[in-house]
Amino acid sequence: MSYWKKVCQLDEIAPFSGVATLVNGEQVAIFRVNAEVYALSNFDPFSEANVLSRGLVGDRNGILKVASPIYKHNFDLLTGRCLDDDNVRIPTWRTRVVDGIVQVEVQ
Amino acid sequence: MAKPTLIVVGNGMVGHKLIELLIQKRAAQQYRILVFGEEARMAYDRVHLSSYFEGKTADDLALSNRDYYEDNGIELFTNERITEIDSKLRIVRSESQEISYDTLILATGSFPFVPPIRGREAKGVFVYRTIDDLDAMAAYAKHCKIGAVIGGGLLGLEAANALKNLGLETHVVEVAPYLMPRQVDELGGEILRGEIERLGIHVHTGKSTSELFCEAGAVRGMNFADGESLEAEMVVFSAGIRPRDELGRAAGLRLGERGGIIIDDFCKTSDTAIFAIGECALYKNQIFGLVAPGYEMARVVAEQVLGNGKPKPFTGAELSTKLKLLGIDVASFGQITADNIHSKEICLLDSHTGSYKKIIVSADGKRLLGAILVGDAESFDMLLQVKQNNMALPPHPEDLVLPAREASTSSNSFGLDALPDSAKICTCENVSKGDICSAINENGFTTVGEIKDCTRAGTGCGSCVNNLKKLLNQQMEKRGIAVVNHLCEHFPYSRQELYHLIRVQRISSFSDVLARFGKGLGCEICKPAVASILASTWNDYILEGEKATLQDTNDYYLANIQRDGTYSVIPRIAGGEITPDKLIALGQVAKDFNLYLKITGGQRIDMLGAHLDQLPLIWERLIEAGFESGHAYGKALRTVKSCVGSTWCRYGQQDSVSLAIMVENRYKGLRAPHKLKSACSGCARECAEAQSKDFGMIATERGYNLYLGGNGGMRPRHAQLFAEDLNEEEVIKYLDRYLMFYIRTADKLQRTADWLESLEGGIEYLRQVIIEDSLGIADELERDMAHIVGSYDCEWKRTLEDSERMKRFRYFVDSNDRDANVVFVEQRGQKRPAFPEERAALEKLS
């Protein structure tokens, strides 16, 4: 059974930045692009640290992505694919904003 | 039928080049190919051996790897010396095997010559040839203070550089009356000597070493033939090379009178089944101790064994040298002296800037025969091309050595444009201008890396890379592609252009900049770059509104992220001066928050291992104790190191601590394209190491000498002397102008050393702009700086004042938990982050 976890108000996340939350004990990074939010694992597999929510958000050739603050690997916000290493993909979560509240789907 | 066997003895640069060529031509389909190397390592780049002491590793220097050989069917035996060749039976033997060959290629190289003098077997005596030699030198140097190199040639000076890098008082002993006698003339040698002595290396010329004296089996110094002596605990011989011809000798091959395996135009020895290439080969009574002719020989042999019956013969080589020795350019080629009958010389000696240029021209002044350049080898590539292509000289050949003047109408350079397509650009790999241009145009290359991969040009000694870059830019311009120094895909402008636009149009937000000059959403390159430009132009609080989301995590949290996601804190300790109370306060804070302490290279104290939520609490305490932000997290001024100077030191000439503190406080918080480091020394002993900084002040009897554009790090650069005997007011005036000019014109993440190198006209141009105000912007630069200095605010103080802002200092948006993945272990009584395997082990335990 899946359900939606309420994380925070949308305006607690500045546009083009991220925050982290715990979902079932797992760290999830949530990024805001204008009114949209995206959720990726907070764990950067290259530095083995939970830091992705602290990366800079932007785009590469139109693909929304975040750059890890440690070694600057880029991850696709939609798919979790690493844009600098085809062999790496990190988990993603479904998200939605309801009445100004950011929610993450918990499986 | 079994394939014939081809054996290559030697796996140095030339031996490896041969294998590369054979692989390219799929020779393994025709031959069984075996390679023997006596070193444990595979071929590596011996030309850049000295970079091993400047941070390069053996892996960086490696030219290849075992997989490359194996995948291409080459059998490689390293650490296996061939001890014997039986040329009658066509067999080679090592200690462990014997193998018959059909074709044998000797690429055994050379060994350093050590003259037969007493003491040469002592401990502490080295040669400079292999990575093992370098490792042995480095290990031994730890227990020495003084080192000497015997031989003041090219390799000898490289070795001296190595000794200096190892921290020794370094001496160079040369038997000829001047340095580098094979490459330069007496005047050039004297200029070189002056420059090298300025770096603190002692030069002894005209000294013939008669013996080494020892104590308990270890060398202690040397005696010279003239009765004088020199103390040294370590001696490196660099007195030339000798061919490794012993295998050839035993096999009965014809050798030269003074050694070397004699080869013909096709690199054949006196035995038709045996070739010799590289430094073991003697061609027309000459040994070629450079890599380019060796590669050419490899090509000649590769073409023959592959059945190309009549390859282009080897015809000798232009012996040209261009190198940076201890930061000093030295280059020469062709004839280096004139006989005044068939040839004449034109030279320019400038002992003020330490440069010497000489060209040798034919008696009619129409052809260039050779050149020597010391101190400034900028025109080397151009001159060499003129010679190699036998181009006619301009009516006033003296223009080729005279410095360019403003408003001068005479062109003193042959552009790359003027060269024919047949002109050789890369002499190591034998690649012509035409080859390179068509590679660029046919493949649409946009980077030098692509040209290197495709044509191999620039992969040998690397001295032609500048020309590759120029050709690339030219070709791209011709194709209508703008030469890209764009900030990133979002902005079609360089940092300098964007800075100008932001300033002139008075723009103060990223969204505005993006909307007007960019596209897309931005990225981790342009966001911090624009944030930095905004900060150094308007100096607004960097975490205000949208600006916060442009900052790298370090600027965002005003601390330095570490590998585990925790942060370090470095408060400012201007000039490295600290009171006992403040030091105690730091210690107490570290104790209360369980932080790891480390003294930094910039005379400050780094407090590591702070959790995000601890940062504001730590700073509350630090500010209370009188500290402010040290900006260690920003591309900003870090520290102005100082020595105690005249206030305490018996040698001090000025109060260097006071000046350091004043300068550090003036520029603290200044955002720049990259970090800025500085130092101030109280006398010429230079204990504060000001010459390795972006800007440094060294006290003299009458004031301060100002040095600019130095750097430590990966590619260290000595700062250049900019102006002498300045008073403090002048120091500040010039620094204001220098720093603002750098901020305005540098590329993104370009340190001052690179920036200064990239400025056409270098330090002299900088003097014109800063001292003589040649651009008429000095007042503006000073005004801009005054604005920044006047609007300084401690970022941490400002941040703590806003409770809204405090919210960001936690790991999770919806709880106060900490990152459970951050685990510390103890080392030497302090904590450090656990490595992943330690973390896993700890998790298992619990």
Side-chain angles (χ1 to χ4, degrees):
Chain A
M1 259 289 286
S2 73
Y3 65 96
W4 292 89
K5 180 197 166 181
K6 292 181 184 172
V7 179
C8 63
Q9 304 273 344
L10 181 62
D11 58 18
E12 285 180 73
I13 315 177
F16 297 100
S17 75
V19 296
T21 186
L22 282 167
V23 173
N24 277 348
E26 231 179 313
Q27 293 200 22
V28 178
I30 300 176
F31 302 96
R32 175 176 169 192
V33 177
N34 299 320
E36 300 287 316
V37 289
Y38 303 86
L40 295 182
S41 168
N42 195 29
F43 187 74
D44 169 12
F46 296 97
S47 60
E48 301 193 37
N50 290 304
V51 292
L52 290 182
S53 63
R54 291 174 252 167
L56 281 171
V57 178
D59 79 295
R60 183 186 287 177
N61 295 318
I63 296 173
L64 290 175
K65 51 92 180 174
V66 63
S68 165
I70 305 277
Y71 300 121
K72 310 284 187 253
H73 290 91
N74 280 222
F75 297 91
D76 186 332
L77 291 191
L78 277 168
T79 64
R81 191 168 56 95
C82 176
L83 300 179
D84 304 303
D85 185 340
D86 284 341
N87 299 316
V88 177
R89 181 190 284 266
I90 59 172
T92 58
W93 279 260
R94 284 175 56 192
T95 57
R96 65 184 190 188
V97 181
V98 178
D99 296 334
I101 307 282
V102 175
Q103 304 185 357
V104 182
E105 189 182 38
V106 185
Q107 294 283 348
Chain B
M1 201 184 94
K3 290 189 277 192
T5 303
L6 184 153
I7 295 180
V8 181
V9 183
N11 193 229
M13 294 182 80
V14 171
H16 171 69
K17 168 55 61 181
L18 175 67
I19 294 299
E20 243 181 20
L21 292 170
L22 292 176
I23 288 176
Q24 265 172 31
K25 307 250 167 74
R26 299 178 202 289
Q29 293 176 356
Q30 287 180 43
Y31 288 95
R32 176 181 178 213
I33 302 176
L34 299 92
V35 181
F36 291 86
E38 71 173 16
E39 282 186 65
R41 289 187 178 82
M42 290 183 65
Y44 51 86
D45 183 355
R46 250 188 261 278
V47 175
H48 297 108
L49 205 54
S50 64
S51 64
Y52 191 64
F53 286 136
E54 292 161 5
K56 287 272 171 80
T57 63
D59 279 346
D60 294 333
L61 292 173
L63 293 175
S64 184
N65 57 60
R66 286 174 191 278
D67 288 349
Y68 175 70
Y69 276 48
E70 201 172 299
D71 293 349
N72 286 290
I74 310 285
E75 296 166 54
L76 172 69
F77 303 88
T78 50
N79 220 351
E80 183 160 348
R81 191 154 74 89
I82 294 297
T83 50
E84 195 188 345
I85 300 169
D86 186 329
S87 57
K88 296 224 169 56
L89 297 173
R90 297 201 173 167
I91 287 173
V92 296
R93 293 193 184 90
S94 73
E95 291 214 323
S96 57
Q97 55 184 327
E98 67 172 52
I99 302 164
S100 339
Y101 64 82
D102 297 282
T103 303
L104 179 65
I105 297 149
L106 299 174
T108 45
S110 65
F111 66 93
F113 172 64
V114 177
I117 56 174
R118 223 172 65 187
R120 53 179 264 174
E121 312 287 354
K123 266 198 301 196
V125 177
F126 296 87
V127 294
Y128 190 77
R129 168 89 186 164
T130 65
I131 290 183
D132 288 344
D133 293 336
L134 267 54
D135 283 336
M137 279 167 64
Y140 197 83
K142 288 195 184 122
H143 312 289
C144 302
K145 288 200 177 66
I146 308 173
V149 177
I150 297 183
L154 194 157
L155 271 176
L157 295 181
E158 291 264 4
N161 191 19
L163 289 184
K164 186 164 178 276
N165 282 331
L166 289 170
L168 302 189
E169 176 188 319
T170 303
H171 297 259
V172 174
V173 178
E174 167 59 47
V175 62
Y178 55 92
L179 292 171
M180 290 187 76
R182 291 165 68 94
Q183 285 85 10
V184 305
D185 61 1
E186 187 156 6
L187 273 174
E190 278 311 305
I191 288 287
L192 184 59
R193 177 199 191 111
E195 293 298 296
I196 284 175
E197 284 179 338
R198 236 162 48 93
L199 300 175
I201 292 179
H202 306 271
V203 178
H204 312 267
T205 51
K207 292 282 183 201
S208 166
T209 307
S210 52
E211 61 174 355
L212 303 182
F213 54 86
C214 310
E215 206 180 285
V219 69
R220 284 287 171 267
M222 57 193 72
N223 290 324
F224 299 128
D226 62 7
E228 288 185 27
S229 64
L230 175 68
E231 280 184 26
E233 299 154 281
M234 201 173 150
V235 172
V236 181
F237 275 103
S238 182
I241 54 164
R242 294 291 181 271
R244 290 283 301 269
D245 55 11
E246 67 272 17
L247 277 175
R249 184 185 304 271
L253 301 181
R254 273 185 64 212
L255 303 188
E257 269 173 37
R258 300 178 57 205
I261 303 166
I262 294 178
I263 57 168
D264 64 10
D265 291 351
F266 298 95
C267 301
K268 281 223 167 73
T269 66
S270 55
D271 180 325
T272 50
I274 305 178
F275 295 90
I277 57 177
E279 291 176 336
C280 66
L282 184 73
Y283 176 76
K284 295 197 173 157
N285 236 346
Q286 194 177 3
I287 297 281
F288 293 90
L290 293 173
V291 73
Y295 283 5
E296 179 64 12
M297 294 180 197
R299 179 194 61 76
V300 171
V301 170
E303 287 183 16
Q304 284 174 89
V305 300
L306 284 157
N308 178 349
K310 204 93 197 117
K312 216 170 86 195
F314 181 74
T315 53
E318 181 85 75
L319 286 184
S320 72
T321 316
K322 180 192 179 190
L323 65 162
K324 236 188 173 59
L325 277 171
L326 306 136
I328 304 156
D329 282 331
V330 183
S332 75
F333 63 84
Q335 211 175 311
I336 58 172
T337 49
D339 61 9
N340 274 322
I341 304 165
H342 306 97
S343 54
K344 306 272 179 191
E345 61 184 46
I346 303 173
C347 66
L348 176 76
L349 171 71
D350 182 346
S351 55
H352 175 60
T353 61
S355 82
Y356 174 65
K357 297 180 191 178
K358 176 165 110 175
I359 54 173
I360 315 295
V361 299
S362 57
D364 60 7
K366 293 229 165 75
R367 303 285 159 197
L368 183 65
L369 304 175
I372 299 173
L373 304 166
V374 179
D376 172 11
E378 178 81 38
S379 48
F380 173 81
D381 295 331
M382 179 266 293
L383 291 172
L384 182 61
Q385 292 290 351
V386 169
K387 160 105 191 325
Q388 283 179 344
N389 295 291
N390 201 24
M391 293 164 78
L393 292 177
H396 299 283
E398 65 272 21
D399 287 351
L400 292 175
V401 294
L402 289 174
R405 277 191 199 83
E406 277 175 276
S408 152
T409 48
S410 69
S411 145
N412 73 343
S413 80
F414 288 84
L416 278 168
D417 257 347
L419 294 176
D421 274 354
S422 61
K424 259 191 217 169
I425 301 292
C426 174
T427 46
C428 296
E429 294 284 342
N430 200 8
V431 190
S432 71
K433 178 183 163 190
D435 296 339
I436 293 166
C437 291
S438 48
I440 295 172
N441 292 324
E442 280 161 24
N443 303 297
F445 289 155
T446 53
T447 64
V448 170
E450 289 169 314
I451 304 177
K452 281 184 172 177
D453 286 346
C454 171
T455 63
R456 315 278 308 143
T459 58
C461 71
S463 66
C464 64
V465 171
N466 268 339
N467 278 338
L468 295 184
K469 178 90 192 131
K470 284 183 199 156
L471 279 177
L472 178 66
N473 288 352
Q474 272 178 14
Q475 294 303 311
M476 283 172 61
E477 268 169 32
K478 275 187 195 158
R479 294 207 319 262
I481 299 175
V483 179
V484 183
N485 57 349
H486 296 170
L487 202 54
C488 66
E489 66 174 73
H490 303 102
F491 288 97
Y493 296 98
S494 67
R495 180 191 171 278
Q496 182 180 359
E497 289 165 333
L498 210 56
Y499 181 94
H500 190 73
L501 288 168
I502 288 173
R503 194 186 136 76
V504 171
Q505 311 211 11
R506 308 196 70 79
I507 303 171
S508 58
S509 80
F510 178 77
S511 3
D512 218 5
V513 181
L514 190 65
R516 291 167 73 166
F517 309 116
K519 59 167 195 197
L521 301 172
C523 66
E524 74 278 11
I525 296 166
C526 58
K527 284 183 171 183
V530 170
S532 159
I533 294 175
L534 293 173
S536 36
T537 312
W538 314 122
N539 209 24
D540 296 330
Y541 178 52
I542 63 162
L543 299 180
E544 190 74 63
E546 179 201 55
K547 280 200 259 311
T549 63
L550 309 178
Q551 310 294 350
D552 270 327
T553 189
N554 285 4
D555 274 309
Y556 188 83
Y557 291 110
L558 306 170
N560 292 50
I561 198 166
Q562 304 299 320
R563 64 176 168 84
D564 62 342
T566 63
Y567 290 81
S568 78
V569 169
I570 305 184
R572 188 165 299 290
I573 301 177
E577 182 184 83
I578 189 162
T579 63
D581 280 342
K582 283 179 110 174
L583 193 55
I584 289 166
L586 280 184
Q588 197 58 53
V589 169
K591 225 171 163 177
D592 294 349
F593 290 89
N594 185 27
L595 302 173
Y596 167 84
L597 286 189
K598 178 91 177 63
I599 310 287
T600 73
Q603 303 185 335
R604 319 205 267 189
I605 295 170
D606 200 351
M607 311 162 83
L608 295 100
H611 287 284
L612 269 178
D613 55 281
Q614 292 179 322
L615 289 172
L617 305 173
I618 290 169
W619 271 104
E620 245 165 45
R621 295 271 304 274
L622 291 175
I623 286 173
E624 200 180 312
F627 287 101
E628 49 182 17
S629 168
H631 296 95
Y633 46 80
K635 307 288 179 229
L637 178 77
R638 298 288 169 83
T639 72
V640 183
K641 259 174 93 167
S642 69
C643 64
V644 285
S646 59
T647 49
W648 287 91
C649 178
R650 62 200 157 124
Y651 301 116
Q653 295 195 300
Q654 306 286 346
D655 181 358
S656 46
V657 180
S658 294
L659 182 65
I661 292 173
M662 196 254 275
V663 170
E664 181 161 340
N665 282 326
R666 182 170 180 82
Y667 302 118
K668 65 189 172 190
L670 174 69
R671 289 304 205 277
H674 212 308
K675 62 186 168 191
L676 289 164
K677 296 182 175 184
S678 175
C680 180
S681 280
C683 77
R685 283 169 188 76
E686 242 285 68
C687 296
E689 298 163 331
Q691 287 170 94
S692 64
K693 305 296 181 195
D694 295 280
F695 55 99
M697 290 73 70
I698 302 178
T700 67
E701 229 174 299
R702 290 178 293 279
Y704 290 93
N705 286 350
L706 181 58
Y707 288 79
L708 301 179
N711 201 347
M714 169 93 180
R715 194 157 83 87
R717 247 77 56 86
H718 276 274
Q720 301 180 49
L721 179 60
F722 177 77
E724 292 175 285
D725 296 325
L726 304 176
N727 61 35
E728 293 189 1
E729 210 171 293
E730 289 168 318
V731 168
I732 294 297
K733 181 168 79 177
Y734 292 160
L735 282 180
D736 277 4
R737 296 175 180 183
Y738 166 69
L739 292 171
M740 269 338 281
F741 190 53
Y742 162 64
I743 288 169
R744 275 195 186 189
T745 59
D747 206 354
K748 61 171 191 268
L749 299 180
Q750 187 178 39
R751 291 288 298 268
T752 57
D754 280 328
W755 169 71
L756 184 50
E757 273 179 16
S758 74
L759 284 183
E760 215 167 300
I763 192 90
E764 187 43 47
Y765 171 71
L766 205 54
R767 280 193 196 104
Q768 287 166 13
V769 174
I770 292 175
I771 302 176
E772 291 156 32
D773 193 15
S774 60
L775 300 179
I777 56 170
D779 284 348
E780 203 178 293
L781 295 174
E782 283 181 43
R783 265 203 313 276
D784 285 357
M785 185 61 86
H787 168 71
I788 305 264
V789 172
S791 53
Y792 169 80
D793 200 6
C794 170
E795 286 159 358
W796 262 109
K797 198 162 162 239
R798 178 90 185 249
T799 303
L800 290 177
E801 282 164 4
D802 186 342
S803 60
E804 231 352 77
R805 228 161 246 140
M806 287 301 97
K807 283 190 187 157
R808 70 166 59 123
F809 290 97
R810 52 182 184 169
Y811 285 105
F812 301 107
V813 66
D814 52 352
S815 79
N816 289 326
D817 290 349
R818 281 182 178 165
D819 181 356
N821 201 28
V822 171
V823 179
F824 298 109
V825 294
E826 202 187 282
Q827 186 170 16
R828 290 181 295 277
Q830 294 200 75
K831 71 173 183 184
R832 70 155 166 81
F835 290 107
E837 55 279 12
E838 291 171 328
R839 216 156 53 200
L842 284 170
E843 265 164 32
K844 239 186 198 166
L845 274 179
S846 64

